[in-house]
Amino acid sequence: MGIETSCDDSAVAIVSKDRQMIAQAQNSQILDHQAFGGVVPEIAARSHLSILPQLIEKVLHGANMTLRDVDAFAATCGPGLIGGVHVGANVGKTLALSTGKPFLAINHLAAHALTARLTDADLSFPYLLLLTSGGHCQMMIVRDPWTYELLGQTLDDAAGEAFDKVGRLMGFTYPAGPAMEKAAQAGDPSAFDLPRPLLHHPDHPYDFSFSGLKTAARQLIDRHNIKRDTQACADLCASFQEAVSDLFCHRVSRALTWVKKEKMLIRAFVLSGGVAANQKIRQDLEKVCEKHGHRFVAPPPSLCTDNGVMIAWNGIEVMTHQNGPTSDLDFRPCPRWPLETLRNRTP
Ligand code: KG4
Ligand code: ZN
């Protein structure tokens, strides 16, 4: 069983070793936070606390199982909003203690990074990964469930965060990414000339920067008084999405060239995290992979954004690769837990 509470989604799922998503239940807190324009940590933690028992009952019912039939309990233990993380971790530990089954402390980013291995049984290590969500934007080589080599990351905002902030200025509610993608379908991606920050900076070949792009978009929104549900808004959404996609394509293309030059073995390129739900970004990156002769893999959009399945699957990865049950009952949840340190098993 996987339990996810790191941000504004409470999610529980049961997944089996043979890759069956047996049952899932999820509660989005979007409406609880909408009036505040972002996620309020205290409200999120309280909401996770009140909803988790119902979600757990729902998945057990959906799976036709009792708690005793569950082999292990996995919960996100970081990174994330620490109040919510504590709620999920304590619920998972309690269930593990009361049933005598192992508790597995899951790194939320690792769960995003490994989801593609659930939905694509042929995906083996190592692979190049672009993890792009509301809180993170990183490019890494994934060697096994614990070993992540950082190639580059954002120097300021995460891509999802940039979508959310720009969208908010035009009147979109949080999270703005999905609605902006929809609006972009009626827009002209060349309507506004937006910058591609950091693209040719010699010191940051694989890093990202979105703050300059965000500022340029804000200036256009102010200057043209762009509001939601207008043609100008559709054009700006399309131009912004195009700029983000260009930045990703440039970085991934450069990384794949480097991989080839170094004669490094990678089995695929994997796109993951909430922004990976974006069809335009998926299609553009798929073309880059085709050009370089690499396989493009991305989980289905519903598993790109936060969910319980990815936490349960990461638990299975841990148990499989360690050859047997383990327990992290004494694990201390942490708001920051970089993937590069995962090997040490402590944040
Ligand atoms: O992975 P996720 O659910 O939560 C974090 O771990 O951050 O990612 C949420 C982020 C939000 O910023 C949201 O706006 C963005 O992913 N997002 C999208 C799309 N769907 C979600 N951004 C662009 N296009 C989308 N279709
Ligand atoms: Zn996430």
Side-chain angles (χ1 to χ4, degrees):
M1 179 182 285
I3 301 172
E4 161 59 32
T5 57
S6 68
C7 192
D8 60 338
D9 280 301
S10 318
V12 180
I14 296 177
V15 176
S16 68
K17 257 190 198 158
D18 58 355
R19 295 186 162 78
Q20 301 298 313
M21 293 174 244
I22 295 171
Q24 304 180 47
Q26 191 144 345
N27 176 63
S28 161
Q29 304 174 2
I30 284 178
L31 295 176
D32 302 347
H33 302 286
Q34 222 155 52
F36 305 95
V39 181
V40 184
E42 179 66 24
I43 295 176
R46 284 169 190 263
S47 174
H48 291 307
L49 191 59
S50 64
I51 203 84
L52 271 186
Q54 296 165 48
L55 298 183
I56 290 164
E57 264 188 33
K58 203 168 158 189
V59 293
L60 287 172
H61 186 259
N64 199 16
M65 287 166 70
T66 67
L67 273 181
R68 308 222 156 266
D69 300 323
V70 177
D71 292 323
F73 296 88
T76 300
C77 283
L81 301 173
I82 195 63
V85 170
H86 270 297
V87 170
N90 282 341
V91 167
K93 286 182 181 183
T94 306
L95 293 177
L97 266 176
S98 63
T99 53
K101 300 289 173 60
F103 170 72
L104 306 166
I106 302 300
N107 178 300
H108 179 87
L109 301 174
H112 273 305
L114 298 170
T115 314
R117 281 169 47 82
L118 162 69
T119 50
D120 189 322
D122 297 328
L123 176 62
S124 44
F125 299 115
Y127 51 83
L128 177 68
L129 167 77
L130 173 59
L131 199 172
T132 169
S133 68
H136 294 83
C137 186
Q138 312 185 310
M139 196 153 55
M140 327 193 84
I141 304 279
V142 185
R143 301 218 169 269
D144 61 43
W146 299 276
T147 314
Y148 299 81
E149 285 161 23
L150 186 66
L151 272 185
Q153 60 188 327
T154 182
L155 304 181
D156 38 63
D157 287 347
E161 191 181 358
F163 267 103
D164 295 338
K165 287 179 176 168
V166 168
R168 191 177 165 197
L169 295 172
M170 294 185 284
F172 289 100
T173 51
Y174 173 89
M180 285 177 71
E181 177 180 10
K182 208 158 164 227
Q185 284 165 5
D188 172 6
S190 58
F192 294 107
D193 189 19
L194 289 167
R196 284 21 178 187
L198 218 61
L199 212 54
H200 302 293
H201 197 297
D203 299 335
H204 298 281
Y206 304 112
D207 291 326
F208 302 90
S209 168
F210 298 99
S211 70
L213 176 58
K214 195 182 63 186
T215 304
R218 191 183 60 220
Q219 285 167 349
L220 285 167
I221 291 167
D222 288 348
R223 193 179 321 142
H224 302 285
N225 192 22
I226 300 176
K227 294 271 185 295
R228 200 188 162 155
D229 301 327
T230 60
Q231 185 56 44
C233 169
D235 288 343
L236 191 82
C237 288
S239 304
F240 183 81
Q241 184 176 258
E242 180 89 3
V244 172
S245 191
D246 268 4
L247 288 169
F248 285 162
C249 288
H250 186 272
R251 274 5 198 190
V252 170
S253 184
R254 185 179 266 176
L256 290 174
T257 304
W258 169 76
V259 158
K260 187 173 174 195
K261 192 169 146 249
E262 297 292 315
K263 296 192 172 65
M264 185 187 283
L265 171 75
I266 59 153
R267 311 244 182 223
F269 165 76
V270 174
L271 180 66
S272 77
V275 181
N278 187 291
Q279 292 300 328
K280 154 84 180 154
I281 291 171
R282 290 166 85 100
Q283 284 160 11
D284 288 355
L285 282 168
E286 192 164 6
K287 280 183 215 144
V288 169
C289 290
E290 229 170 70
K291 213 174 90 198
H292 285 266
H294 283 285
R295 206 153 74 82
F296 170 88
V297 184
S302 61
L303 294 179
C304 288
T305 47
D306 291 349
N307 62 84
V309 166
M310 68 184 198
I311 308 303
W313 173 251
N314 196 339
I316 291 170
E317 289 267 24
V318 169
M319 290 181 80
T320 313
H321 282 82
Q322 288 189 171
N323 286 326
T326 171
S327 198
D328 291 324
L329 276 171
D330 58 353
F331 191 91
R332 288 163 67 175
C334 196
R336 289 189 206 293
W337 188 5
L339 272 180
E340 312 87 89
T341 66
L342 197 59
R343 257 208 163 286
N344 318 327
R345 294 301 295 148
T346 46

